[in-house]
Amino acid sequence: MRSLATVVLATALLGAATPGAAAAAAAPGPAVSRLADTQLDARALYFESYNGLVNNNAFQKNGLLTYKGYQYAVWYTGDRSAVIARRALSERSWQTVTLPHRLTADDSHNVISMGVSRIDGRLHLNMDSHSSGFFYVKSVAGLLDDPAGHPWTSGQFGAVQTTLDGLALTSQFTYPQFIATPEGRLQLSYRTGVSGNGRNALAEYDGNTWTDLGAWSSATGTYTSEHGSSTARNMYLHGIDYGPDGRLHAFYTWREQNNAVMCASGGLTNHDTGYVYSSDRGRTWRNAAGAVVGTTGGSDTVAVGDAGTVVDPLNPDHSLMNQESQATDSAGLPHALISYVPGRFGQCTTDYVADRTSNGRVFHLSKDAAGTWKKTEIPVPLGSSQRTHLVFDRYDNAYAVMPYGRIVAASKSSGWMDWKTLFDGSGLNAFGEVVVDDTRLAQDGVLSFLYQRKSSGTTPSALRVIDFALPS
């Protein structure tokens, strides 16, 4: 495993010598208080694929979403039907609508993602795709602006489409992520192509029309490790999110097409953690130092060799996970979680599921106001091959929701160094990854996540949402 001189491994608590630091130290540290655990479906669809469940992928954006006092959830029920539910935040009962679509493949990538176009109050859904076509549904205008004034019925949603209102995009579509712009437009991030040979792209909805903005990452170029070379790849996003200052942030890893770049075929060809941002709504991309490294829809897109884009170098021999998690704090500074098998457990993973489960660790990456990247190992073994999700409370305390519904957290006052377990997941019987509601925390200070109980084979199991109050 390689190291980066500008990455600072945290070893001691930060001091508080200034009035600002003293104020931060006086703020409450991280804490969770369990509020409720409600059932969405007693018999949700269950099958294991790519070590995951189609209803519970941590990278899913958004499988659980809150807007104007209501929370919304999406999933596939036992007969493969797509379902959408809502509840007022003050309620524990859910209203459900079954959409006229059934999951087409036993593939855990084929998630349902939701987005909100604030410009017209519509709810948008994209579902059921993995390097294939997609299925798209949008609600009537104003549904989310006045939920109490709209009955929760199938009549509130339009027909299931295989385009975005006529915009076809690509026949190899994967990983839909809806992003609301600061102005209230809605963007859709997606991958065109396949694993190991694909590009990230954006489309945008202005309240009337969808427009294809084009691809912004490159699949070409040569990557060489000590084992061999590869000439095709795809960028896997840890997320794509607007910060409070209007910047669009994206952490990512690269996955190479050629297995010759790694020490053993049982690992993952993922390597390096990269970071870019956009200050013009995803049209132009810059590295952390501000240099332009790509233009959406242009001939020069973000590529594997672009200077200044790698913030944590790592070769493909450590089973680095793709699509982990990212978030921005209240100052607009970017943070990410990454996970892999550290070099102290060996320099070659041979079975990424077994090795990550035995020796995988999660690391917190952050960029401070001076531009320095810092990296801290979370001292809780991963115990899984799966992903962890990052969120912040109103005081910028960080919470990592780990597989099986475990919650570990660190305080801002410590410089996010004092990670400890706040909830061990006991009693949940959660399969593994969970789907966190990134949008609810800012509205009422509650951490919600969706989880599915362990089952076997294809026996349906309960799908639930658990809520925790964070410091207010």
Side-chain angles (χ1 to χ4, degrees):
M1 181 180 67
R2 292 173 283 162
S3 62
L4 183 65
T6 57
V7 172
V8 178
L9 291 176
T11 57
L13 297 183
L14 297 183
T18 67
V32 297
S33 176
R34 186 166 168 169
L35 296 175
D37 192 334
T38 59
Q39 183 160 284
L40 288 169
D41 191 339
R43 293 180 52 80
L45 184 64
Y46 191 102
F47 61 83
E48 291 191 38
S49 160
Y50 297 95
N51 308 111
L53 303 181
V54 71
N55 289 327
N56 287 264
N57 277 289
F59 61 78
Q60 195 173 339
K61 184 183 180 74
N62 296 283
L64 194 63
L65 179 151
T66 298
Y67 188 73
K68 292 192 173 181
Y70 276 71
Q71 190 174 44
Y72 301 84
V74 285
W75 71 94
Y76 299 102
T77 195
D79 69 355
R80 309 178 74 84
S81 294
V83 177
I84 180 167
R86 75 174 184 184
R87 65 170 175 176
L89 293 181
S90 58
E91 301 292 332
R92 296 191 178 185
S93 60
W94 294 83
Q95 299 172 290
T96 61
V97 166
T98 300
L99 298 172
H101 178 77
R102 292 191 178 186
L103 182 67
T104 59
D106 285 349
D107 188 329
S108 64
H109 294 79
N110 293 35
V111 299
I112 307 174
S113 295
M114 291 185 287
V116 177
S117 53
R118 297 195 307 273
I119 198 167
D120 59 2
R122 294 184 193 267
L123 183 63
H124 302 250
L125 281 72
N126 192 296
M127 52 192 171
D128 196 3
S129 61
H130 183 198
S131 302
S132 61
F134 60 82
F135 299 88
Y136 168 69
V137 176
K138 70 178 181 182
S139 77
V140 299
L143 175 66
L144 300 188
D145 292 331
D146 181 23
H150 289 80
W152 194 244
T153 64
S154 59
Q156 301 298 315
F157 297 89
V160 177
Q161 307 177 51
T162 55
T163 65
L164 298 177
D165 295 336
L167 180 63
L169 296 180
T170 174
S171 62
Q172 294 183 315
F173 179 99
T174 315
Y175 302 126
Q177 296 188 69
F178 287 109
I179 325 149
T181 72
E183 299 82 14
R185 298 193 301 271
L186 184 65
Q187 295 178 321
L188 177 62
S189 166
Y190 63 97
R191 185 187 74 193
T192 177
V194 299
S195 176
N197 190 7
R199 301 180 299 161
N200 289 332
L202 288 171
E204 187 172 87
Y205 174 75
D206 65 4
N208 294 297
T209 305
W210 280 98
T211 302
D212 184 9
L213 301 182
W216 63 271
S217 73
S218 172
T220 60
T222 299
Y223 170 79
T224 302
S225 75
E226 58 259 54
H227 310 294
S229 296
S230 175
T231 58
R233 68 200 50 79
N234 73 281
M235 175 192 286
Y236 272 120
L237 292 173
H238 286 318
I240 183 166
D241 305 277
Y242 282 98
D245 57 359
R247 280 188 176 182
L248 183 59
H249 302 269
F251 285 90
Y252 56 88
T253 61
W254 293 106
R255 173 172 291 182
E256 298 300 321
Q257 185 179 62
N258 190 350
N259 285 348
V261 300
M262 59 183 176
C263 60
S265 60
L268 289 170
T269 59
N270 298 340
H271 63 90
D272 298 325
T273 298
Y275 168 79
V276 290
Y277 73 89
S278 173
S279 295
D280 58 3
R281 307 301 185 255
R283 272 66 172 178
T284 305
W285 295 92
R286 300 174 181 272
N287 64 20
V292 174
V293 291
T295 302
T296 299
S299 59
D300 182 18
T301 51
V302 181
V304 70
D306 284 344
T309 55
V310 175
V311 297
D312 191 57
L314 187 71
N315 69 21
D317 295 340
H318 296 272
S319 292
L320 174 68
M321 181 48 68
N322 49 281
Q323 297 160 283
E324 196 96 32
S325 185
Q326 67 172 48
T328 52
D329 62 29
S330 64
L333 296 173
H335 299 248
L337 297 179
I338 63 173
S339 64
Y340 58 88
V341 177
R344 65 179 183 272
F345 296 108
Q347 298 298 330
C348 180
T349 57
T350 58
D351 182 326
Y352 85 91
V353 172
D355 291 340
R356 284 176 55 84
T357 301
S358 297
N359 296 315
R361 296 295 187 271
V362 182
F363 297 83
H364 171 229
L365 284 174
S366 63
K367 179 175 174 284
D368 66 21
T372 301
W373 289 96
K374 298 183 178 182
K375 180 179 177 181
T376 303
E377 180 175 337
I378 295 177
V380 178
L382 183 57
S384 168
S385 66
Q386 298 173 311
R387 301 171 179 87
T388 299
H389 195 88
L390 176 66
V391 295
F392 288 93
D393 67 19
R394 62 176 296 187
Y395 300 103
D396 283 337
N397 299 310
Y399 298 77
V401 186
M402 299 183 70
Y404 316 119
R406 295 167 292 165
I407 303 173
V408 300
S411 66
K412 179 184 179 181
S413 61
S414 74
W416 301 290
M417 292 166 51
D418 57 352
W419 292 92
K420 61 183 178 181
T421 300
L422 301 183
F423 179 72
D424 66 6
S426 295
L428 297 186
N429 194 29
F431 166 80
E433 289 184 10
V434 301
V435 176
V436 176
D437 187 341
D438 288 314
T439 58
R440 186 172 180 184
L441 270 168
Q443 298 184 47
D444 67 354
V446 171
L447 170 60
S448 282
F449 64 80
L450 180 153
Y451 69 95
Q452 190 161 356
R453 288 190 169 154
K454 293 177 185 176
S455 187
S456 60
T458 59
T459 303
S461 67
L463 188 70
R464 303 182 66 87
V465 174
I466 190 167
D467 305 325
F468 298 87
L470 303 189
S472 61

